Amino acid sequence: MLRRQRLANGSFGELEKIGSALTIDEQVMSLGAQLAQEKIKNIQKDMLINSLGTTITQLKLEVMEMKGSGE
């Protein structure tokens, strides 16, 4: 929560945070960071899946070559 403290001259001072609740801006930044982390995790999963697909393809080719050579 934010508030403006009244100054001695009757005007309001700068915004100051009170309490432990997150401000809207802090909540938005936190959610943005969480979304970025999730996106990184998804990219890493996609890379792993692609790598496994490549490995499987290579193994299939090796098996086909072994069958073709009569081993």
Side-chain angles (χ1 to χ4, degrees):
M1 176 181 270
L2 297 174
R3 74 172 182 150
R4 290 187 190 271
Q5 187 172 9
R6 189 169 296 273
L7 302 176
N9 66 4
S11 64
F12 290 104
E14 295 296 316
L15 282 173
E16 59 183 19
K17 183 177 176 181
I18 57 171
S20 60
L22 295 177
T23 65
I24 297 295
D25 289 341
E26 290 170 333
Q27 291 175 8
V28 168
M29 287 192 300
S30 176
L31 286 173
Q34 290 173 14
L35 288 173
Q37 289 174 351
E38 286 298 316
K39 188 168 189 167
I40 289 170
K41 286 179 188 177
N42 287 336
I43 290 170
Q44 290 172 335
K45 286 178 189 175
D46 289 346
M47 290 172 62
L48 178 59
I49 290 168
N50 288 339
S51 173
L52 291 172
T54 301
T55 302
I56 290 171
T57 301
Q58 290 171 344
L59 290 173
K60 284 181 179 179
L61 287 173
E62 288 178 21
V63 169
M64 289 171 55
E65 287 174 0
M66 288 171 47
K67 286 183 179 179
S69 65
E71 292 181 23

